[in-house]
Amino acid sequence: MLVYPSGVDVSSSALRFLAARLREHRRALGTRWRRLSAGRQALLTLAHLRNGHPYAQLAAGFGVGTITVFRYIAEAVEVLSALAPTLAEAVRAASMKAFVLLDGTLLPIDRIAVDRPFYSGKHKKHGMNVQVIADPFGRLLWAPALPGAVHDVRAARGHGIIDALTGAGIPCWADKGYQGSKGTVRVPYRARWETLAAGQQAANRSHAPIRALVEQAIATLKAWRLLRKLRCSTTRITSLVQTVLTLHLASSD
């Protein structure tokens, strides 16, 4: 296999953060020697997450075996996902904002037709439903995952998002997929435009540009190319999303 220099469009602060966490993890384990330093392991993990490079290509580029690449990435994902904020922590951070934004997005996966729990009728493809909570500037605050067949409002209720935001008294702007949420969740009026009253049309017009800011948070999530087409076990996807969330929050602090 040919090897060539390449780059990863990730901030150096994310690399330093991950390398530091891996060094702490190695000290806790009492590890004396590894094929790659903590810094190189961090770079390997970021290259996989950001560029979506497969294990074989990364093994050739870093001069290690494919199994070693798998183990190093899995270890880094385990370390970072454990640092991801809980819903309670995300709500505490959200409580300092004027309001939050809520939306769902589908992360495509390579499932077959029999895997109905992962098939999204809305998107006509298999995937994982990720609920995204963002601040008023479109910055990502929290993002859990469920099988793609789960509707947005049901997913939000299942994660406890609606109850948590309502309990904290945090206004939340969402789209029509969250009709019936109640609490502090604000959604546009749902009907044909011409049948809406003038006041309802005005409310929907003012609602749309505010809610649209959540697309920035979704774009931040999908900038990590591995998440654009997941080919791993569905049991690992939540950990991968939490890993990306941790890296994003660490580099934006």
Side-chain angles (χ1 to χ4, degrees), residues 34-117:
R34 293 281 189 97
R35 290 293 302 275
L36 296 179
S37 66
R40 293 287 285 173
Q41 182 182 359
L43 182 60
L44 168 72
T45 303
L46 292 177
H48 177 64
L49 294 172
R50 189 70 170 188
N51 293 339
H53 292 323
Y55 297 141
Q57 290 182 7
L58 293 170
F62 283 82
V64 294
T66 304
I67 298 301
T68 301
V69 169
F70 173 80
R71 287 192 294 103
Y72 277 8
I73 292 174
E75 180 182 47
V77 167
E78 181 182 355
V79 169
L80 287 177
S81 62
L83 299 174
T86 62
L87 176 58
E89 291 169 339
V91 169
R92 278 198 296 272
S95 65
M96 295 182 286
K97 314 293 182 181
F99 60 89
V100 295
L101 308 166
L102 175 63
D103 200 2
T105 186
L106 190 79
L107 300 183
I109 59 176
D110 60 341
R111 297 287 95 179
I112 58 177
V114 295
D115 294 319
R116 300 303 297 179

